[in-house]
Amino acid sequence: MLRVGLTGGIGSGKSTVAQELCALGAHLVDADVVAREVVEPGTPALAEIVDRFGAEVIAPDGSLDRPALGRVVFGDPAALRDLEAITHPAIWARTARLVAAAPDDAVVVHDMPLLVEKRMTGEYHLVLVVGAGEQVRLDRLVRLRGMSEADARARIAAQADDADRRAAADVWLDNEGSVEALRTVVRRVWHYRIVPFDENLRVGVPSLPPGPVPSPPDPTWPAQAHRLMARVRHAVGDAAETLDHVGPTSVPGLPAEDVVDMQVGVRSMADADDAAFVAGMRAMGFPRMDDERTARGPDGAGWEQRVHGACDPGRVAHVHVREVGTAGWEAALRLRDWLRAEPAERAAYAELKTRLAASLTTGGEPDEAKESWFAQARERCDAWAERTGWRPPAP
């Protein structure tokens, strides 16, 4: 079951996106609706709220007087913590029941306003963020919802900023134009990313690399890796002793094939082969790739790995699982840090990638040239590590 997180600041147009996704066939779980349901009259959570905050937070009809409760907890961190201790368990339990009740072939969209603030990116296969500038949102809140400008500004200021939202977004849905323009973008994302992702996830097929031609350096590669690593952590928990962004996309300013490589360090390869580890990775959208990349590396013992690929058609990624402290695990980190530290070596590697891409049309031997370069580069990299005292980060 593909789980999509949907979020956006107040006034961004998130509800419009949710409506369009439902029209396309998504199964919606609305966090705001759930939050209201768990404090309806007669619920245990409402009774606990009355015990903690008093009858003055109850309206004449017996329902929760939200504005009154808001006045009690606003600006009082201790009171807010107490309220969340009452409501959050009920919200998560209700949410889990709703997700479990969705059809097996459903794409579940969780409309979660505080997804970024609660650091929940790792719990979803994909995160959609609806974005609009502060002035645009302010105008909508005042003109369309009847808020005072002061109240609208306070609500906006209390939420995550755009920088944090962009860092959490696998897909950024700009909404400063018309409603129809937004709906058109949502339909495109649905058909070209969500549906293929869902199909790949069901059959356990990773997306294929785009090809050997390097892409210009992308400053968002580290943020993309961070999101993916959060999902890996969610999938395998403490079985991952280390989690690192490695490979060419981990080196700032380096042209690279548009594939994000990550390394999971495990205590032993038995952990990597454990059924729960493999199943957890697959459920989170990282099925195991059963090919030669699971074999030993160039120097024999110590280079064994398992490789998982990402099902997301919009973000090709490989997860290399290696035992912590082995030659292969350490080499991936050392090569990354060496290229980060040495501009001349970084430039030489970029030139190699360009030359290898060109050789595909001239009948060259790209694999042989690549192995020759890496054989020499390893010696220079090892010498650099010895000279600088480099050590891998502790697990």
Side-chain angles (χ1 to χ4, degrees), residues 357-386:
S359 72
L360 295 176
T361 60
T362 60
E365 299 290 339
D367 290 339
E368 183 178 329
K370 185 175 181 179
E371 289 305 318
S372 174
W373 187 89
F374 270 108
Q376 299 175 42
R378 273 195 293 272
E379 294 181 5
R380 299 195 301 275
C381 180
D382 291 347
W384 167 84
E386 181 69 25

Side-chain angles (χ1 to χ4, degrees), residues 27-83:
H27 183 92
L28 182 68
V29 176
D30 189 323
D32 285 340
V33 172
V34 171
R36 290 193 292 271
E37 290 175 345
V38 300
V39 293
E40 288 178 346
T43 59
L46 184 60
E48 290 185 54
I49 288 172
V50 173
D51 287 344
R52 168 61 178 84
F53 298 102
E56 59 268 24
V57 299
I58 300 299
D61 64 357
S63 65
L64 180 64
D65 186 338
R66 291 177 177 277
L69 181 60
R71 288 190 292 271
V72 172
V73 302
F74 186 78
D76 185 339
L80 181 59
R81 283 195 299 271
D82 289 347
L83 176 62

Side-chain angles (χ1 to χ4, degrees), residues 346-366:
R346 195 161 59 243
Y349 184 67
E351 190 276 332
L352 169 72
K353 299 291 284 185
T354 302
R355 181 158 41 87
L356 293 180
S359 72
L360 295 176
T361 60
T362 60
E365 299 290 339

